[in-house]
Amino acid sequence: MKKTIFITILLTIGIFISSFTKDNKALDSDVNLTKEIILVPSEKEISPIIKSNIPFVGKSFNGFKEALAFRESGGRYDIVSSFGYLGKYQFGKSTLERFDIHDIQLFLDSPELQEETFMALCSVNKWILRKEIKKKVGKKINGVEITESGILAAAHLAGAGNINRYLKTNGQYRFKDAFGSSMQHYLKTFGGYDTSLIESNKKPSVFN
């Protein structure tokens, strides 16, 4: 009888110790998992070398180009709209002819040519609008602060003549494109970017 009681006590102790050991292992596992989560580096802890390889456009000129391109075409070089506008920046054929570009397929297949054409158009628009840029930048029209980048974006949408008229009439003249986008919307959306890299040029060329 005593022997049976002794064996029962030993079995009970063994089960208790085994249970305690399993709980400790589970606890250790939880601690290790927590450590793994904590050891994942935060954004501030990422190596500056790695971070330097991540493009940051912000309010830079590249930011201006990419924001405008995304609004126009989703950033696609090969797209043709239902109204026949072409490429990443949605150029009309008459605009391309102005820069002596007549091969549409060549234009669509060449990102470099599209970027050069965008720069050329910005340059000539900056030249056409140079007086209004000087007069209006920093002022407000219809509650929108006027900036050079906003003016150039609106000129891209509506043409330099339309935005020139808008500025001269202090916003009384209105214009919307075929999709319903307004100059005032572009003035606001694309305001505050650094467009100082764009040179004012009456006759820029895309073929140097």
Side-chain angles (χ1 to χ4, degrees), residues 1-205:
M1 182 69 177
K2 289 181 180 179
K3 185 176 181 181
T4 301
I5 293 171
F6 179 73
I7 292 172
T8 302
I9 292 171
L10 285 177
L11 287 172
T12 303
I13 293 171
I15 291 169
F16 176 78
I17 292 171
S18 175
S19 175
F20 182 78
T21 303
K22 287 179 181 178
D23 287 343
N24 275 345
K25 286 181 179 179
L27 182 60
D28 289 342
S29 177
D30 289 342
V31 171
N32 290 335
L33 180 60
T34 304
K35 284 182 179 179
E36 286 177 11
I37 293 171
I38 291 172
L39 289 175
V40 175
S42 67
E43 186 178 354
K44 292 180 180 179
E45 294 170 333
I46 295 174
S47 166
I49 296 174
I50 296 174
K51 290 185 75 174
S52 67
N53 292 328
I54 302 173
F56 175 76
V57 290
K59 288 290 184 177
S60 68
F61 177 63
N62 280 337
F64 172 70
K65 287 200 308 175
E66 295 308 315
L68 185 57
F70 186 81
R71 175 65 179 80
E72 294 292 310
S73 68
R76 289 177 54 189
Y77 288 105
D78 61 342
I79 196 168
V80 180
S81 79
S82 57
F83 289 93
Y85 292 100
L86 305 156
K88 182 178 178 180
Y89 301 100
Q90 292 292 277
F91 292 102
K93 290 182 180 179
S94 60
T95 301
L96 297 183
E97 289 171 359
R98 179 176 189 170
F99 296 110
D100 202 26
I101 299 170
H102 304 283
D103 189 331
I104 300 304
Q105 194 57 52
L106 174 65
F107 178 77
L108 290 172
D109 291 341
S110 176
E112 294 81 7
L113 182 56
Q114 292 190 36
E115 296 295 339
E116 287 291 330
T117 306
F118 177 76
M119 285 295 293
L121 182 60
C122 285
S123 292
V124 72
N125 283 340
K126 190 169 182 176
W127 183 85
I128 293 170
L129 295 162
R130 63 195 185 282
K131 292 181 181 178
E132 291 305 310
I133 288 173
K134 188 175 181 180
K135 290 179 184 177
K136 302 295 185 180
V137 166
K139 297 182 179 179
K140 285 190 175 182
I141 296 178
N142 295 328
V144 177
E145 183 176 350
I146 304 303
T147 65
E148 182 179 283
S149 62
I151 290 174
L152 293 176
H156 186 83
L157 169 75
N162 281 315
I163 186 60
N164 191 45
R165 188 174 174 185
Y166 177 91
L167 295 171
K168 284 185 174 180
T169 61
N170 287 315
Q172 293 181 28
Y173 172 71
R174 302 297 179 93
F175 170 92
K176 289 186 178 181
D177 73 355
F179 296 99
S181 300
S182 69
M183 290 186 293
Q184 188 165 298
H185 176 70
Y186 269 52
L187 283 166
K188 182 178 181 179
T189 302
F190 300 105
Y193 287 90
D194 181 5
T195 51
S196 59
L197 285 175
I198 300 172
E199 296 181 1
S200 174
N201 190 338
K202 185 179 180 179
K203 293 182 178 181
S205 174

